[in-house]
Amino acid sequence: MATFVIVGAGLAGAKAAQTLREEGFDGEVVLIGAEEERPYERPPLSKGYLQGRSEREKIFVHPPYWYADQEIDLRLGVTVTGIALDAHEVALDDGSRMSYDKLLITTGASPRTLPGQAYTLRTVADSEALKAGFAAGGRVVIIGAGWIGLESAAAAREAGCEVTVVEPAPTPLHRVLGPELGEVFANVHRRHGVDLRLGVSAEEVEADGVRLGTGERLPADLVVAGVGAAPNVNLAREAGLEVGDGILTDAALRTSHPDVYAAGDVAESYHPLYGRRLRVEHWANALNGGPAAARSMLGQEVVYDRVPYFYTDQFDLGMEFSGDTRGYDQVVIRGEELEFIAYWLREGRVIAGMNVNVWDVVDDIQRLIRSGGPLPPQD
Ligand SMILES: Cc1cc2nc3c(=O)[nH]c(=O)nc-3n(C[C@H](O)[C@H](O)[C@H](O)COP(=O)(O)OP(=O)(O)OC[C@H]3O[C@@H](n4cnc5c(N)ncnc54)[C@H](O)[C@@H]3O)c2cc1C
């Protein structure tokens, strides 16, 4: 009987295991996760769960009994410490080894840290610690105006904290959205009382505050580092798999070894639509990439070419983003101040779109991106 091992029990890993069973695979499926929690979704950790609005049980990908029902051997609190590609074996942190016929790596990413006492946000425990910290009130300094930094800022404000966000770029989300749309997020946060310090870097996290590059000290009761995440590629690199920014795969999510696959945050996969490899740290990529890798492991013809998709909720701004803005030369905004669709174009073609407080338009936006065509006139 064939054994398929999945390293990393997050969303991508759990969805891959589900797909293997749905597609009729009757061999052994082993899902190994370093965390003690069964697979869960991370988006609520910086939104509803952090704000105490969603129940704990709602964050999990499957109910607890599901794994036994599906005969999925879920090993929690177990870390894979090595992969022997030629022997088709993984080494576990309890000293044992396990053979596989096919291996899927879904080890995700880990938050970048800063020296000093700063909170990071990746796990349920991180979210619970932050929730308790925000509940105590006081002064919160958030380093980084990316998605995690901004969502944490919104949650801290809603909990009644004084919030300052420090960001070296001239607008929030500058790298992903550019200055035009970054300014929209800046305005939303300012309107809700967040003190944004843009164009300034944090030099050091000290015991009772943050020292800025300008020499100014911001006193803080709690500091959050929202400075990005790094893919967990060490296992793959040490095993000898090809690694760039993430684990390199083709469009079928196969790595440089024919029996090893990668999906989710850790994978840097060839994307036929963009004609290059992309590493996508978004929920939808784990949700769909895990199943695509599973089908590929089963020998099905797979071309994973989903348009990257992301969503966020901050204060009164809800939005969905599709595509990739890299190389854009024009932004067109259609709509009103907080109810609009923004399109990013390169040489007249739509490459990305973002709907803000406008719903049920993602399919249309993604069709437009896929078609490689111009923006149709407004009706
Ligand atoms: C707070 C937060 C909010 C987010 N909000 C959004 C959002 O609003 N919208 C959106 O699109 N995306 C969001 N994301 C991103 C999204 O959650 C990720 O893209 C998604 O979780 C990736 O899933 P994954 O399965 O690839 O990796 P992960 O969820 O990181 O799971 C990987 C798992 O592998 C385990 N692991 C790692 N190494 C080993 C090893 N050697 N042995 C065993 N296990 C190992 C890890 O412990 C981890 O549990 C958010 C992320 C965070 C952290």
Side-chain angles (χ1 to χ4, degrees):
M1 205 199 311
T3 300
F4 285 7
V5 171
I6 304 170
V7 185
L11 180 60
K15 283 289 170 186
Q18 178 181 339
T19 301
L20 288 174
R21 287 296 183 235
E22 283 171 356
E23 294 289 326
F25 178 66
D26 60 2
E28 274 192 60
V29 178
V30 187
L31 177 56
I32 306 173
E35 294 185 56
E36 296 290 345
E37 307 281 356
R38 69 183 193 273
Y40 59 88
E41 310 225 5
R42 301 189 193 272
L45 305 184
S46 52
K47 307 177 187 65
Y49 192 66
L50 181 58
Q51 292 165 337
R53 284 192 277 108
S54 31
E55 287 166 40
R56 196 170 205 279
E57 213 31 52
K58 294 241 165 83
I59 66 174
F60 294 99
V61 182
H62 298 109
Y65 54 83
W66 182 86
Y67 296 91
D69 278 3
Q70 296 294 317
E71 296 185 26
I72 289 163
D73 181 2
L74 178 63
R75 311 267 183 110
L76 295 176
V78 177
T79 300
V80 172
T81 53
I83 303 169
L85 295 175
D86 290 342
H88 282 64
E89 274 183 358
V90 291
L92 309 181
D93 60 354
D94 62 5
S96 66
R97 303 180 81 81
M98 183 183 291
S99 299
Y100 64 81
D101 294 284
K102 295 211 171 152
L103 179 71
L104 172 60
I105 305 177
T106 49
T107 46
S110 298
R112 292 183 206 281
T113 54
L114 296 171
Q117 286 291 317
Y119 286 70
T120 53
L121 180 49
R122 182 83 194 174
T123 64
V124 186
D126 294 340
S127 179
E128 288 168 356
L130 215 48
K131 183 167 32 178
F134 291 167
R139 296 155 305 181
V140 172
V141 173
I142 293 173
I143 302 175
W147 302 115
I148 299 281
L150 293 180
E151 290 178 1
S152 304
R157 274 304 289 152
E158 282 174 11
C161 303
E162 264 178 55
V163 181
T164 307
V165 176
V166 180
E167 165 61 52
T171 66
L173 301 164
H174 201 261
R175 192 178 48 82
V176 241
L177 301 184
E180 301 86 352
L181 274 300
E183 200 49 41
V184 170
F185 282 83
N187 287 335
V188 166
H189 280 260
R190 285 193 192 108
R191 208 159 21 81
H192 286 88
V194 175
D195 179 10
L196 282 182
R197 304 293 185 95
L198 301 170
V200 185
S201 58
E203 284 298 295
E204 203 176 339
V205 181
E206 297 170 339
D208 53 359
V210 175
R211 189 161 50 77
L212 304 183
T214 55
E216 187 189 353
R217 282 196 71 262
L218 295 176
D221 302 300
L222 188 158
V223 179
V224 182
V227 291
N232 295 321
V233 292
N234 279 354
L235 258 187
R237 184 178 279 127
E238 283 162 15
L241 293 170
E242 281 178 24
V243 172
D245 178 30
I247 303 174
L248 300 186
T249 82
D250 61 14
L253 305 181
R254 261 182 311 243
T255 69
S256 54
H257 189 285
D259 293 327
V260 183
Y261 300 73
D265 280 9
V266 79
E268 186 182 353
S269 306
Y270 181 79
H271 200 298
L273 189 60
Y274 294 95
R276 58 182 157 82
R277 286 197 171 105
L278 285 185
R279 193 174 71 77
V280 179
E281 274 184 16
H282 296 338
W283 167 86
N285 181 52
L287 184 77
N288 299 305
R295 285 191 285 272
S296 202
M297 291 166 89
L298 293 169
Q300 297 179 16
E301 214 38 56
V302 169
V303 178
Y304 184 65
D305 65 352
R306 292 234 166 202
V307 174
Y309 166 89
F310 177 85
Y311 65 90
T312 187
D313 292 307
Q314 297 166 28
F315 300 114
D316 48 354
L317 182 154
M319 77 87 177
E320 295 170 288
F321 173 88
S322 300
D324 186 342
T325 59
R326 253 174 287 183
Y328 80 92
D329 52 32
Q330 191 190 356
V331 178
V332 175
I333 297 179
R334 289 183 174 171
E336 297 160 19
E337 199 199 335
L338 258 193
E339 216 175 291
F340 63 84
I341 305 179
Y343 299 93
W344 286 259
L345 289 86
R346 185 171 57 215
E347 294 167 4
R349 292 156 176 245
V350 177
I351 55 170
M354 179 169 99
N355 45 305
V356 172
N357 293 337
V358 174
W359 307 110
D360 300 325
V361 291
V362 167
D363 288 349
D364 294 340
I365 292 173
Q366 295 199 352
R367 232 187 325 271
L368 202 51
I369 295 170
R370 251 177 215 294
S371 74
L375 190 58
Q378 210 161 359
D379 25 69

